[in-house]
Amino acid sequence: MTGEGAAPVGLHARLGGPALSVWAKHERDSDRWLPLWRHMEDSAAVAGRLWDEWLPLSVRRLIAGALPGGEVDARRLVVWLAGVHDIGKATPAFACQVEQLAQVMRGHGLEMRSRQAMGADRRLAPHGLAGQVLLREWLEERHGWTVKQAGQFTVAVGGHHGVPPEHGQIQALDGHLHLLRTHGSSQVLWKRVQEELLDACADEFGVRQRLGAWQAVKLPQPVQVLLSALVIVSDWIASNPDLFPYFPEDVPRTGPERIAAAWRGLDLPGPWHAKEPVGNVQELFASRFDLPPGAKVRPVQEAAVELARSMDEPGLMAIEAPMGDGKTEAALAAVEVLASRFGSGGVFFALPTMATGNAMFPRLLDWLDRLPAPEGTRYSVQLAHSKAALNDDFADLMGKGRRIAAVDLDGSEEREWRPTSRNRFAAAELVAHAWLRGRKKAMLSSFVAGTVDQLLFAGLKSRHLAMRHLAIAGKVVVIDEAHAYDTYMSAYLDRVLSWLGAYRVPVVVLSATLPAGRRRELAEAYAGKAAGEAAASFDAVAQADGYPLLTAVTPGGEPVIRCPAASARGTDVELERLDDDMDILADRLERELAKGGCVLVVRNTVRRVLEAAAALRERFGEAHVTVAHSCFIDVDRAAKDAGLLKSFGPPGKADRPQAAHIVVASQVAEQSLDVDFDLLVTDLAPIDLLLQRMGRLHRHLRGGEKQTDRPEPLRQARCLVTGVDWSAPVPVPVRGSLAVYGVHALLRSAAVLLPHLGGGPERPVRLPADISPLVQRAYADEFDGPVGWAEALEAARARHEEHRADQAERAATFRLDAAARPGRPLFGWVAAGVGDADDTRQGRAQVRDSRESLEVVVVQRRADSTLATVPWLAPDSKGHPRAGLPLPTDQVPTALAARTAASCGLRLPIQFSYADVMDRAIDELEELHIHAWQMRGSHWLAGQLILPLDEDCQTHLAGFRLRYSPSDGLEVTRDERLEGSAARSG
């Protein structure tokens, strides 16, 4: 046999007739096929190209570090595993599936029963598991490996369809070896063919002489995951018949010519090769960001870059700084340094919501445009959430890209989709056909902005989890608004951080209001919990009281803490109680706005938003009150955000109203929008969120330090806190606030604010100086509340702890285990998992402690019963009309009409999240089942639930009356028709 140093000659030349007859792929429509040897060679060649041209340096280093021969060994191993991954197809259990190809194999002596005769037993030998068993046998019998030594390598073969086998499945197949080799006269030939194929791969891919050295290796589980993922990616690419045509080929090619043509056709952008920026921090920021003239880098930004430059190993850096202090820019500057130092090939920017993801995406693109890169460099960029394709910035990028038909190995054939299918795709994931935009592959792009769900999915036991791990293992991960995640989400986040630490992924965590205990939990999750004396260093993390504050820690290392100076500008916010009464609110705002000004009123529920807006419009008029909340169709929500920025954004970028104006908003005003108001009225909320809301108050200087461009009565920042019965001995928040936040967080917030409420100029909340003290006190384990509050606070704390324990217990059900000891195979890694974890309503509900939400596409039913897009939409960015476009039900609508309709997606409120109501709503919505829209050719509307509104923009659904307006969004009330009939029947 050819030795280690011999040149490859091709698998075909190493094999005899029976082995050459084994098939791997078959095209039912044309009867074209692909022999196994060809697919083995294709997959191995793709793996080599991925290693050489696509895989980030950090991932290559991690895999190489586990092998005695370093990077040379690592490349050989990846190529070999990809080459042998389908050896399980050289079995009767697989080969019997296509009778004409099975008959050819029988002609070479490889006997097998028909598929029907083999029966249900065949399911015990899926070809991935069969391949794992065959490779294990070959390593044991031909090379002297033990079962334990083999398992850590062979699991990449067994799990190449997304789920590593479980021990029970392996044992079941060991008891049915006739599925691997037909008993009788051909049994020896079957075994010889299997060994011949494996021998040929060992020689062709240069591993035969390395197997002895690898026998002593104990592969860390993170390396096993990455190997498995690389095999999956290689197989997916090599299984694409557009890139790797089946036989007979239209244009016969040699093996090297075939892979060269496929790689050109794939046109996969390589990873980011970051170069460490030179010069001082001021120069770096001036070259990367659109700074105003004369702007100086803030101390926290400079400290973040210097801390990143001082890190000798990949680690986690937490940046705590006030709202509006440039944390995003600090993170991106640190990312560039960290990526250059540790070989990261991209960035994932994780944000709390789709809205914050959409807001971040153009900033990410602008930063990318300013990065230094050789001429001709291309980056793969992705907006990762279920409605990404409806984002104009992302749609522009898709329009520039080449479209490549990509096979979806875990999908099914052309079929009609039903909205109730638990496996249905999110519509946005179906529109992009370039390879990195496909299902389950989007996160493999080098630069990704998306919802934090995409990161949390890496901690959820689910199919193709290895792909998600590969996607984040080669990036720097930025986690924004880290304070915004509850116990349930934090359980997943902490587990993901432990894996990121194991992968040596640099992580940057951002927050304005991070409780000290949570800071410690994040650091320990990434670095691993310390014991003994080392634990004292993490005590210091929890005890640090500086603000701004930087914390850095490496896996197994001790934390480093930096306390940069605060920015020069601060704001004193005077707090005042305001009774929860509409007339009192309107009277107060009438006095405050006598000379004009802009007020933000934040309510904790949509119902309270709409009630307040109605009352204020009666007093101030329709034109002077704007509503913003989450229950708008997507296109209206985006227009709302754009309108708020246009009217209330930074000086020089906004056309501020001349007359008095009131914005009544829900929590959507807390994050992502750089808006600035003269006065804030807010429902009581947890202290961190209340401080976020205060960050929208006097956010920018208008007329210098004395704010002389604001109306004279509003030049002092003031916040009126309402949504509470302040007259009670212990404040009583309104029911809606209790339902959203719970009594514990609200009472703690009220308690720490009590010295400031009504304190006037003597006791303002000083931003940013008071941010950390208020947050730390509100979230401290030991809490001394006001006199007379002790009983209420203790009862609230007990309920809160019970709720947290319940969240943690439920989160553990499908949460991935921490990485086990090196050498332990990944068998059962995602056992008892959730199946697929896509960005659907079911998937998101797995990593968020929330009920499944129901999403619909809103259209209008005209008087003649035809359907159309809603009538108030403005033209798109290219001037194309979007209002009232016909939506024919006997054919697929035009691309513009279908995309416009899809952009009118609406997530129904919590009333529709209860199981009985949701089931009833789905049943009623599916009565409008438009067959012509359900095939894959209708990618915008296939599988969507359609909610038609009448010409008055109203409808009835599941016992509720729904009314929609572009100014107020969705209003839901009990259906009076049903209530009336119930009364009559009673």
Side-chain angles (χ1 to χ4, degrees):
M1 302 296 282
T2 304
E4 177 187 355
V9 299
L11 290 179
H12 188 278
R14 300 179 185 274
L15 301 171
L20 293 173
S21 74
V22 180
W23 67 276
K25 305 280 182 183
H26 174 254
E27 197 171 71
R28 217 178 320 182
D29 295 339
S30 67
D31 271 343
R32 288 156 66 94
W33 71 294
L34 200 66
L36 179 57
W37 69 266
R38 179 71 274 166
H39 183 56
M40 286 176 146
E41 203 168 282
D42 290 343
S43 301
V46 169
R49 291 288 186 125
L50 289 172
W51 182 274
D52 296 337
E53 302 180 37
W54 179 76
L55 201 62
L57 177 61
S58 59
V59 176
R60 299 202 310 266
R61 284 174 176 168
L62 189 70
I63 298 173
L67 296 163
E71 187 152 339
V72 174
D73 261 5
R75 187 187 189 280
R76 279 197 184 116
L77 177 58
V78 167
V79 169
W80 175 61
L81 288 174
V84 301
H85 81 276
D86 263 351
I87 186 61
K89 291 182 174 179
T91 61
F94 178 86
C96 70
Q97 295 180 93
V98 179
E99 181 58 28
Q100 65 265 38
L101 296 178
Q103 194 59 32
V104 173
M105 293 174 63
R106 292 187 187 106
H108 285 84
L110 293 169
E111 292 298 329
M112 69 192 87
R113 290 183 294 166
S114 69
R115 178 175 183 168
Q116 292 76 15
M118 202 165 287
D121 278 359
R122 199 179 63 80
R123 298 175 186 170
L124 298 174
H127 72 267
L129 174 58
Q132 175 181 297
V133 171
L134 293 179
L135 185 60
R136 182 199 72 195
E137 287 181 354
W138 181 80
L139 289 169
E140 292 173 18
E141 297 170 7
R142 303 293 290 272
H143 299 279
W145 288 40
T146 66
V147 172
K148 288 184 178 180
Q149 289 168 340
Q152 57 185 327
F153 290 83
T154 62
V155 71
V157 172
H160 80 262
H161 276 282
V163 179
E166 300 175 34
H167 288 284
Q169 294 171 307
I170 300 168
Q171 292 168 359
L173 182 53
D174 285 341
H176 293 77
L177 293 181
H178 66 281
L179 299 171
L180 304 181
R181 291 177 283 271
T182 303
H183 290 331
S185 58
S186 69
Q187 183 173 352
V188 173
L189 180 59
W190 273 106
K191 187 171 182 64
R192 192 179 80 212
V193 164
Q194 293 160 356
E195 291 179 344
E196 186 180 346
L197 286 162
L198 291 171
D199 285 338
C201 287
D203 293 325
E204 180 70 14
F205 308 135
V207 305
R208 181 179 293 276
Q209 304 304 319
R210 298 303 303 153
L211 292 174
W214 294 352
Q215 192 173 355
V217 167
K218 291 187 176 181
L219 288 179
Q221 284 202 330
V223 172
Q224 296 180 48
V225 175
L226 296 175
L227 292 171
S228 299
L230 286 168
V231 169
I232 292 171
V233 176
S234 302
D235 181 33
W236 281 4
I237 295 173
S239 296
N240 187 331
D242 293 331
L243 300 174
F244 293 92
Y246 290 0
F247 286 12
E249 294 179 282
D250 295 332
V251 180
R253 293 186 174 102
T254 65
E257 290 171 343
R258 182 177 168 90
I259 181 62
W263 196 253
R264 285 195 304 272
L266 183 62
D267 196 26
L268 198 61
W272 180 31
H273 297 287
K275 303 295 183 185
E276 183 154 2
V278 296
N280 61 42
V281 178
Q282 181 70 37
E283 293 168 339
L284 171 62
F285 272 66
S287 64
R288 300 294 190 269
F289 306 109
D290 185 19
L291 300 181
K296 298 293 184 183
V297 172
R298 290 171 174 157
V300 70
Q301 295 172 328
E302 184 166 13
V305 174
E306 295 303 333
L307 183 56
R309 285 173 168 168
S310 72
M311 296 175 72
D312 295 325
E313 296 179 53
L316 177 143
M317 178 194 301
I319 303 176
E320 299 173 59
M323 301 72 71
D325 224 23
K327 291 187 293 296
T328 297
E329 289 77 11
L332 290 173
V335 159
E336 189 173 354
V337 174
L338 295 169
S340 67
R341 293 176 68 83
F342 306 121
S344 306
V347 182
F348 175 53
F349 214 110
L351 298 119
T353 63
M354 291 186 199
T356 52
N358 286 336
M360 182 63 208
F361 192 62
R363 298 173 70 181
L364 181 67
L365 296 181
D366 186 59
W367 174 69
L368 283 174
D369 285 339
R370 296 167 183 265
L371 285 178
E375 188 173 348
T377 298
R378 294 181 309 129
Y379 296 130
S380 54
V381 184
Q382 178 75 23
L383 179 60
H385 61 64
S386 62
K387 298 181 180 180
L390 300 173
N391 178 281
D392 288 340
D393 291 310
F394 185 55
D396 288 343
L397 288 179
M398 289 195 296
K400 297 174 185 175
R402 298 175 53 200
R403 290 178 177 264
I404 301 171
V407 69
D408 179 14
L409 295 182
D410 59 305
S412 59
E413 301 150 23
E414 185 85 5
R415 57 183 168 83
E416 184 171 310
W417 291 359
R418 301 292 294 183
T420 46
S421 169
R422 297 191 69 86
N423 295 320
R424 71 187 183 94
F425 299 6
E429 295 176 316
L430 300 173
V431 25
H433 296 290
W435 197 80
L436 283 175
R437 300 177 207 144
R439 184 188 182 203
K440 300 184 179 178
K441 300 186 289 263
M443 287 285 290
L444 292 171
S445 299
S446 294
F447 296 94
V448 183
T451 55
V452 73
D453 307 66
Q454 303 294 334
L455 181 65
L456 301 184
F457 283 149
L460 180 68
K461 290 181 180 179
S462 55
R463 195 170 180 218
H464 288 115
L465 181 61
M467 291 283 285
R468 293 190 179 276
H469 280 228
L470 176 63
I472 58 177
K475 294 181 174 66
V476 182
V477 173
V478 182
I479 303 169
D480 198 10
E481 308 284 3
H483 56 273
Y485 310 122
D486 63 13
T487 299
Y488 190 93
M489 296 176 73
S490 294
Y492 282 100
L493 179 58
D494 290 356
R495 184 52 46 83
V496 172
L497 285 173
S498 75
W499 278 90
L500 292 177
Y503 289 123
R504 300 303 189 261
V505 169
V507 176
V508 181
V509 173
L510 306 179
S511 178
T513 54
L514 189 64
R518 185 66 189 130
R519 182 193 309 137
R520 175 176 184 155
E521 290 170 354
L522 292 170
E524 287 188 326
Y526 182 89
K529 282 200 174 183
E533 293 183 5
S537 61
F538 284 91
D539 292 339
V541 170
Q543 294 163 4
D545 58 1
Y547 193 77
L549 184 70
L550 303 180
T551 308
V553 65
T554 57
E558 294 191 2
V560 174
I561 296 172
R562 297 282 185 271
C563 298
S567 298
R569 180 176 176 249
T571 302
D572 285 0
V573 180
E574 295 180 8
L575 261 62
E576 183 180 335
R577 300 175 184 85
L578 184 70
D579 289 339
D580 190 53
D581 178 272
M582 291 299 176
D583 289 333
I584 291 175
L585 173 64
D587 290 346
R588 179 62 180 268
L589 293 187
E590 197 167 38
R591 294 196 302 273
E592 297 286 357
L593 297 174
K595 296 185 178 180
C598 302
V599 178
L600 174 63
V601 178
V602 183
R603 300 302 219 194
N604 290 340
T605 65
V606 173
R607 174 178 288 183
R608 283 178 58 78
V609 169
L610 296 176
E611 288 172 351
L616 293 172
R617 281 175 176 152
E618 287 184 9
R619 187 73 62 92
F620 293 91
E622 292 275 343
H624 299 280
V625 179
T626 297
V627 168
H629 55 72
S630 59
C631 287
F632 282 90
I633 61 175
D634 294 326
V635 66
D636 286 349
R637 172 79 185 274
K640 284 283 181 184
D641 287 352
L644 291 174
L645 285 171
K646 183 178 180 181
S647 297
F648 308 103
K653 296 182 179 181
D655 185 13
R656 204 165 177 86
Q658 296 301 307
H661 201 94
I662 304 168
V663 174
V664 188
S666 67
Q667 293 87 339
V668 299
E670 288 173 7
Q671 299 168 339
S672 80
L673 294 178
D674 185 5
V675 288
D676 173 20
F677 292 88
D678 302 318
L679 177 68
L680 173 66
V681 181
T682 175
D683 282 350
L684 180 67
I687 189 62
D688 47 336
L689 304 184
L690 206 59
L691 290 165
Q692 292 279 349
R693 296 173 188 183
M694 289 185 203
R696 274 61 189 157
L697 181 60
H698 286 218
R699 187 177 179 92
H700 298 287
L701 291 178
R702 296 185 182 275
E705 292 289 341
K706 295 188 176 180
Q707 303 278 10
T708 55
D709 287 349
R710 299 184 191 273
E712 191 276 331
L714 301 177
R715 290 174 187 171
Q716 168 60 49
R718 283 177 293 133
C719 171
L720 313 182
V721 183
T722 185
V724 183
D725 179 0
W726 293 112
S727 65
V730 177
V732 180
V734 295
R735 288 179 58 188
S737 297
L738 291 171
V740 174
Y741 297 119
V743 66
H744 173 74
L746 295 175
L747 284 186
R748 286 280 188 107
S749 182
V752 299
L753 289 175
L754 199 59
H756 303 279
L757 285 164
E762 287 74 35
R763 294 300 302 272
V765 172
R766 291 188 164 86
L767 303 179
D770 286 340
I771 292 177
S772 186
L774 286 171
V775 170
Q776 305 319 328
R777 186 172 172 227
Y779 287 98
D781 291 334
E782 301 296 328
F783 185 79
D784 293 325
V787 175
W789 290 28
E791 185 176 344
L793 285 169
E794 177 55 29
R797 186 200 62 78
R799 290 197 295 273
H800 174 67
E801 292 300 326
E802 183 179 341
H803 177 63
R804 288 188 62 193
D806 176 65
Q807 284 189 312
E809 182 178 354
R810 286 184 289 108
T813 304
F814 297 117
R815 188 183 59 193
L816 185 67
D817 293 335
R821 65 180 184 276
R824 182 174 179 178
L826 285 175
F827 299 148
W829 190 50
V830 296
V834 298
D836 279 331
D838 289 333
D839 196 4
T840 60
R841 66 175 189 264
Q842 293 91 358
R844 288 189 295 272
Q846 293 290 352
V847 293
R848 293 180 184 258
D849 187 26
S850 59
R851 298 176 182 272
E852 287 185 18
S853 57
L854 195 58
E855 295 186 37
V856 296
V857 168
V858 176
V859 301
Q860 185 168 59
R861 192 191 299 277
R862 294 168 165 167
D864 61 2
S865 295
T866 60
L867 301 181
T869 59
V870 292
W872 58 81
L873 300 180
D876 67 12
S877 58
K878 297 178 182 177
H880 299 137
R882 296 186 296 177
L885 298 178
L887 296 169
T889 56
D890 59 347
Q891 62 186 28
V892 176
T894 65
L896 177 61
R899 185 178 190 270
T900 299
S903 72
C904 296
L906 174 68
R907 185 172 297 179
L908 297 180
I910 194 169
Q911 293 98 316
F912 296 92
S913 295
Y914 296 94
D916 55 341
V917 178
M918 178 179 284
D919 290 343
R920 180 180 170 186
I922 290 174
D923 288 342
E924 293 179 14
L925 290 166
E926 285 200 319
E927 291 177 9
L928 180 61
H929 178 71
I930 302 171
H931 178 81
W933 296 3
Q934 302 307 315
M935 305 306 291
R936 288 198 179 199
S938 175
H939 54 251
W940 287 113
L941 297 174
Q944 299 299 319
L945 293 164
I946 307 300
L947 179 68
L949 303 177
D950 63 23
E951 291 192 312
D952 295 324
C953 294
Q954 300 184 46
T955 192
H956 300 271
L957 182 65
F960 292 92
R961 176 176 172 270
L962 279 61
R963 176 182 177 276
Y964 188 90
S965 73
S967 60
D968 285 1
L970 182 69
E971 185 176 1
V972 178
T973 56
R974 282 285 179 186
D975 196 327
E976 295 175 359
R977 300 177 309 171
L978 295 180
E979 291 181 355
S981 64
R984 287 191 297 273
S985 64

